[in-house]
Amino acid sequence: MSDCIFCKIAQKELPSEIVYEDDRICVFRDNAPQAPVHVLIIPKKHIASLDDTSEEDAGLLSYILLKVKDIAADQGLADGYRLVVNCGEDGQQTVKHLHFHLLGKRKMTWPPG
Ligand code: 5GP
Ligand code: ZN
């Protein structure tokens, strides 16, 4: 999508600190980090939100979830982490390209705000 900032980051048309990428996903540091480690894991394919996924995305979604532990290990999150997906208005999703927040290096609280 031409006006999507996360597509532009994945295509390196916008600067970001990419910490991992392969043919299917891109992982970069959030520019307003909410924890000492805060990276965003995105599919390179433009998908607006979790609500916009379908059966054809099953392989991609499971690929992302299975990659999380490797990305967390690379980020030094041996003591644990939190994975967050905001969806829609009540979920406070602000960027309409599916992303998984990976947060760590601090004790999380519950319930989330
Ligand atoms: P959401 O609120 O949609 O779940 O999360 C969007 C996240 O993207 C926010 O944590 C926000 O700080 C981050 N973000 C928004 N614009 C940019 C950007 O241009 N670069 C980077 N690295 N992060 C961004
Ligand atoms: Zn996009």
Side-chain angles (χ1 to χ4, degrees), residues 22-42:
D22 59 30
D23 56 328
R24 284 189 270 187
I25 66 171
C26 181
V27 185
F28 54 95
R29 295 204 187 282
D30 196 295
N31 68 359
Q34 301 301 310
V37 170
H38 185 174
V39 297
L40 301 172
I41 304 166
I42 67 166

Side-chain angles (χ1 to χ4, degrees), residues 1 4 6-7 46-47 96-97:
M1 265 229 339
C4 170
F6 284 2
C7 281
H46 180 85
I47 300 172
K96 305 296 188 268
H97 180 129

Side-chain angles (χ1 to χ4, degrees), residues 5-6 28-32 40 86 92-95 99 101:
I5 56 170
F6 284 2
F28 54 95
R29 295 204 187 282
D30 196 295
N31 68 359
L40 301 172
N86 297 324
Q92 293 273 350
Q93 181 182 2
T94 58
V95 177
H99 51 282
H101 296 257

Side-chain angles (χ1 to χ4, degrees), residues 16-109:
S16 73
E17 191 182 340
I18 293 175
V19 298
Y20 174 82
E21 74 171 319
D22 59 30
D23 56 328
R24 284 189 270 187
I25 66 171
C26 181
V27 185
F28 54 95
R29 295 204 187 282
D30 196 295
N31 68 359
Q34 301 301 310
V37 170
H38 185 174
V39 297
L40 301 172
I41 304 166
I42 67 166
K44 287 190 169 176
K45 173 187 176 185
H46 180 85
I47 300 172
S49 80
L50 210 49
D51 264 355
D52 297 285
T53 56
S54 65
E55 208 46 54
E56 77 173 36
D57 300 310
L60 177 60
L61 291 169
S62 58
Y63 179 76
I64 291 172
L65 287 177
L66 288 167
K67 267 279 175 205
V68 168
K69 61 181 184 301
D70 299 335
I71 298 161
D74 282 350
Q75 295 299 313
L77 304 182
D79 291 335
Y81 52 83
R82 183 167 287 173
L83 188 69
V84 174
V85 181
N86 297 324
C87 184
E89 201 183 325
D90 279 1
Q92 293 273 350
Q93 181 182 2
T94 58
V95 177
K96 305 296 188 268
H97 180 129
L98 176 63
H99 51 282
F100 296 72
H101 296 257
L102 177 64
L103 302 128
K105 290 269 185 194
R106 74 166 166 84
K107 208 85 164 170
M108 301 298 157
T109 58

